[in-house]
Amino acid sequence: MNLFRSRVSTSVVSRMAGELGSSASVPTTTSSSSSSWAKTRSLWPSILRWIPTSVDHIIAAEKRLLSLVKTSYVVEQVNIGSGPPGSKVRWFRSTSDEPRFINTVTFQSKEDSPTLVMVHGYGASQGFFFRNFDALASRFKVIAIDQLGWGGSSRPDFTCKSTEETEAWFIDSFEEWRKAKNLSGFILLGHSFGGYVAAKYALKHPEHVQHLILVGPAGVSSESESKPERLTKLRATWTGAVFNHLWESNFTPQKVVRGLGPWGPDLVNRYTTARFGAYSTGEVLNEEESKLLSDYVYHTLAAKASGELCLKYIFSFGAFARMPLVQRVEK
């Protein structure tokens, strides 16, 4: 197994924040009035709903975005069960025994091509790689997944209470997915937070990983090793104290998107236009790509909170890993 490591700059916090519902209730007096209200509500146009999204919206948005990819592909919901065999821990089983699914996209490739498994970053999903799929599929059998709790995958209640449990949420669910797909000897690529998960998985299950590629990995170093001056100064201010409190309260960027309701899509569109336009390198997104990506990103962010709640358990304020990769690799 080959391990490529790189340091993470202090700008990770702003990137992760960017890359990163309440529903109205009314009192009812009879079941028929409740049914009537629900039926009427379902007929409302999406723009009038507080959070104009649903699982169907995610699936449809993914399909539209992937229509830009020329390589043929297959989408499947891989059943990973309700937890590891014999497991009784709530961090994976959530509050029910319902089966979990990992949304998986496999691209057509030449026979005997090496298998490349791609894992997305925080607040993202496999569709973020849409511009990379064609080039990679010419050399590899590309399999891209949505991690448990993100994208089109199952979104069980997040009940983790520690860093160890949170890491296990992602590592163990990925291992159950690997077993279901009967994979071994594959190349594992992880981007940003996905790099952190991929590296931790490779350390725990090195026998399955032929090569490990980390693209801009998060969680490489600890705060004590980096000692960012800007973060130290920020923490000394009342603004820093507020941000730190929000972080420890697990206030995620996705909550802002949900809270804005019908104005959320516009905020996400502004972000994607800036992030993948003025602030990007190389060829910027064209109008169609920008529109489809913005729509896809919005629906994946506005859906039920699940995997996103890992943030405060994996990182301290400033996006510094509580259990850095460097320390694990050195051991």
Side-chain angles (χ1 to χ4, degrees):
M1 179 182 70
N2 298 330
L3 177 63
F4 299 93
R5 303 182 300 180
S6 64
R7 294 280 176 179
V8 180
S9 68
T10 56
S11 64
V12 165
V13 113
S14 59
R15 292 204 311 271
M16 287 186 65
E19 295 175 0
L20 301 174
S22 60
S23 60
S25 61
V26 296
T28 58
T29 55
T30 65
S31 59
S32 61
S33 62
S34 175
S35 175
S36 176
W37 177 82
K39 183 177 181 180
T40 301
R41 182 176 181 274
S42 68
L43 296 176
W44 289 1
S46 295
I47 193 64
L48 297 181
R49 297 175 189 164
W50 184 247
I51 303 179
T53 191
S54 67
V55 174
D56 290 340
H57 279 84
I58 295 176
I59 295 173
E62 177 187 84
K63 185 176 182 179
R64 289 191 293 269
L65 181 64
L66 293 182
S67 70
L68 299 173
V69 181
K70 298 178 181 179
T71 307
S72 299
Y73 64 88
V74 175
V75 179
E76 58 182 327
Q77 296 289 312
V78 178
N79 189 332
I80 61 172
S82 59
S87 174
K88 296 182 180 179
V89 288
R90 285 188 60 189
W91 53 259
F92 193 94
R93 296 170 65 89
S94 184
T95 55
S96 75
D97 292 329
E98 294 180 2
R100 313 300 180 210
F101 298 88
I102 295 294
N103 189 44
T104 306
V105 183
T106 303
F107 292 86
Q108 187 179 52
S109 61
K110 297 178 181 178
E111 191 175 351
D112 297 328
S113 295
T115 299
L116 173 67
V117 177
M118 303 179 71
V119 183
H120 62 81
Y122 181 87
S125 40
Q126 54 80 18
F128 276 60
F129 295 120
F130 79 96
R131 271 194 166 187
N132 307 114
F133 289 143
D134 283 328
L136 292 173
S138 67
R139 300 286 300 276
F140 305 95
K141 176 184 178 181
V142 177
I143 305 177
I145 68 167
D146 289 334
Q147 296 193 69
L148 182 65
W150 277 319
S153 293
S154 296
R155 295 182 180 237
D157 299 330
F158 188 86
T159 56
C160 301
K161 301 299 181 183
S162 69
T163 300
E164 291 79 6
E165 287 185 353
T166 304
E167 286 190 354
W169 162 289
F170 295 105
I171 295 171
D172 291 352
S173 61
F174 184 85
E175 172 60 6
E176 293 304 305
W177 172 84
R178 184 203 64 78
K179 291 178 182 177
K181 292 291 290 180
N182 193 29
L183 292 175
S184 189
F186 54 90
I187 301 169
L188 182 57
L189 182 152
H191 171 247
S192 191
F193 174 69
Y196 178 88
V197 173
K200 289 297 180 80
Y201 173 83
L203 287 167
K204 186 174 182 179
H205 301 283
E207 67 277 11
H208 301 305
V209 181
Q210 185 178 21
H211 299 284
L212 175 64
I213 304 174
L214 306 182
V215 183
V220 174
S221 59
S222 66
E223 181 180 347
S224 60
E225 293 170 319
S226 300
K227 297 180 180 179
E229 185 177 347
R230 287 184 60 187
L231 182 60
T232 301
K233 291 181 178 180
L234 176 61
R235 281 181 168 172
T237 66
W238 68 268
T239 303
V242 170
F243 283 150
N244 185 68
H245 174 73
L246 290 174
W247 186 282
E248 293 300 327
S249 299
N250 228 353
F251 186 87
T252 65
Q254 289 91 327
K255 290 183 178 180
V256 176
V257 174
R258 296 187 194 102
L260 288 174
W263 294 277
D266 182 63
L267 174 66
V268 173
N269 180 62
R270 290 172 181 271
Y271 161 71
T272 55
T273 299
R275 175 65 181 83
F276 302 105
Y279 296 104
S280 66
T281 57
E283 185 180 351
V284 300
L285 299 179
N286 60 41
E287 185 176 350
E288 181 184 18
E289 290 174 327
S290 181
K291 179 181 178 181
L292 293 179
L293 179 60
S294 293
D295 183 55
Y296 173 74
V297 172
Y298 169 74
H299 291 300
T300 59
L301 293 181
K304 174 188 173 181
S306 181
E308 74 188 63
L309 299 176
C310 72
L311 196 59
K312 80 167 189 175
Y313 296 107
I314 298 295
F315 304 102
S316 62
F317 176 57
F320 293 100
R322 298 185 188 278
M323 298 177 66
L325 289 175
V326 166
Q327 294 179 9
R328 292 290 302 276
V329 172
E330 288 175 349
K331 292 180 181 179

